[in-house]
Amino acid sequence: MAQYIHDNTDDEISHAAFLKAYLESKDAEAVDLSRFATIPGSIATGSTGKTRLTNLMQLTVDTSFWSQYRSITNIDFDPNAPFVQAVPSLNVGKHTAIPRTDADTAGSSLSGDNTTSITPHLQAIAFTAGFHFAFIEAGGSSLYPTLAQKVTNLEVLRVLLSIGPSETMHFQTWQDKAGNALPLTDVDNGPGGTGATVTFTTLANAQGETNPESLKGDTLQANLIMPEPTHFLNKKFPPVAIIRPTSTKNGGAVASLQSFVNDGLFIGQKNPEFLRVMFSLAEEADEARRRF
């Protein structure tokens, strides 16, 4: 997991640096959000202690992406399609995906059997991180093909079609990793705790692939990390394995940003200008139209 985190981080840093340089090469204004990096971060051993743009310590994670990719139903095609939560309790209350202080790591150590040497509390934090990574990357997987439908310039299209699949690689990796979460229940009652309860189950034992595919959005089998065929464009076509959603309404920039807000990623950001700037950028992206 540590290697995946480092690689994922390197990828995202490279995306930001490339897009900034590319915009500037076209005499376009690159966006600098560093002035909004004011949210206090972790003070656990190993933390840089720097303030952050995002908050990973009070998350309400929507894990319905899990069943969304395992169901024949498609939110773009059927807006009322039901998608159950893979971890219902992560979608309630506020959960931390990183150790906040050394109190969260107390009593834990790495060993030949981390299931016994790492406390259930710290395991719950790690499992939360795994599902949160997948949640974020599900959004990235949808955002790039959604934006690609709006561009005219072929070089810009090449940028979107080249970066986008790397986000999907991240998504599939984190889905696979999250599916290894062990069954446990933890109540976040320690120092700095939110009081939230989280319960993880053995998703490897969950309801598996169905034939026809689930119409109830309830297929949760852990190793179904490749998109199950779903409805697309018109019901006269047979189900097809695709990235979804890819509509502006459900997979566009505003939808992605709103999902991050709902997730609690910006809790602690006290500057009201931040969301104004972010939604303005997102709205401009969604309003772009391809010129033929």
Side-chain angles (χ1 to χ4, degrees):
M1 190 166 182
Q3 185 63 57
Y4 290 168
I5 291 170
H6 286 300
D7 286 348
N8 202 147
T9 301
D10 287 345
D11 288 357
E12 302 299 357
I13 290 173
S14 77
H15 292 167
F18 174 85
L19 292 172
K20 180 177 184 295
Y22 183 76
L23 286 169
E24 290 172 342
S25 77
K26 303 299 182 182
D27 293 324
E29 183 180 358
V31 177
D32 182 2
L33 300 174
S34 60
R35 69 186 186 279
F36 297 117
T38 59
I39 301 173
S42 169
I43 58 172
T45 299
S47 170
T48 64
K50 295 179 180 178
T51 53
R52 299 171 48 87
L53 189 65
T54 56
N55 185 346
L56 298 175
M57 300 183 289
Q58 298 179 62
L59 302 173
T60 304
V61 187
D62 182 354
T63 60
S64 64
F65 68 83
W66 191 272
S67 56
Q68 180 172 306
Y69 266 91
R70 290 161 170 76
S71 171
I72 196 172
T73 49
N74 178 353
I75 192 172
D76 280 343
F77 194 87
D78 180 2
N80 297 314
F83 300 110
V84 300
Q85 298 283 334
V87 187
S89 51
L90 274 183
N91 197 226
V92 179
K94 294 180 172 60
H95 307 267
T96 186
I98 57 173
R100 295 157 296 199
T101 69
D102 287 344
D104 285 328
T105 59
S108 294
S109 62
L110 295 176
S111 72
D113 182 4
N114 289 326
T115 63
T116 58
S117 65
I118 296 179
T119 64
H121 176 63
L122 189 56
Q123 288 185 52
I125 292 174
F127 299 159
T128 298
F131 278 95
H132 190 256
F133 276 123
F135 161 76
I136 293 292
E137 301 297 352
S141 296
S142 290
L143 180 60
Y144 282 88
T146 300
L147 293 178
Q149 299 169 64
K150 301 173 178 294
V151 303
T152 303
N153 183 281
L154 289 180
E155 188 174 67
V156 175
L157 181 62
R158 183 179 180 185
V159 169
L160 291 168
L161 296 182
S162 298
I163 293 180
S166 72
E167 304 289 1
T168 306
M169 293 179 192
H170 297 162
F171 175 44
Q172 190 173 52
T173 296
W174 288 116
Q175 270 201 95
D176 194 35
K177 202 68 175 173
N180 294 329
L182 302 173
L184 63 81
T185 294
D186 179 66
V187 182
D188 188 18
N189 280 336
T194 65
T197 298
V198 64
T199 297
F200 295 93
T201 60
T202 306
L203 289 172
N205 296 336
Q207 179 179 342
E209 197 168 358
T210 58
N211 189 14
E213 307 299 345
S214 171
L215 293 171
K216 299 179 180 178
D218 59 358
T219 301
L220 295 176
Q221 184 177 322
N223 63 356
L224 291 179
I225 62 169
M226 300 176 192
E228 295 299 301
T230 188
H231 296 140
F232 186 49
L233 299 182
N234 193 308
K235 272 193 174 180
K236 70 180 181 181
F237 302 134
V240 58
I242 56 167
I243 296 296
R244 67 265 206 178
T246 52
S247 66
T248 298
K249 178 181 178 181
N250 297 314
V254 170
S256 297
L257 178 58
Q258 186 61 57
S259 73
F260 294 164
V261 172
N262 296 343
D263 179 55
L265 206 57
F266 307 123
I267 289 176
Q269 176 58 255
K270 293 181 171 56
N271 188 338
E273 185 185 358
F274 172 72
L275 286 181
R276 286 198 293 268
V277 169
M278 293 295 289
F279 275 107
S280 176
L281 291 169
E283 288 163 3
E284 287 183 18
D286 283 348
E287 289 169 1
R289 295 293 182 270
R290 185 175 183 180
R291 297 190 300 273
F292 294 94

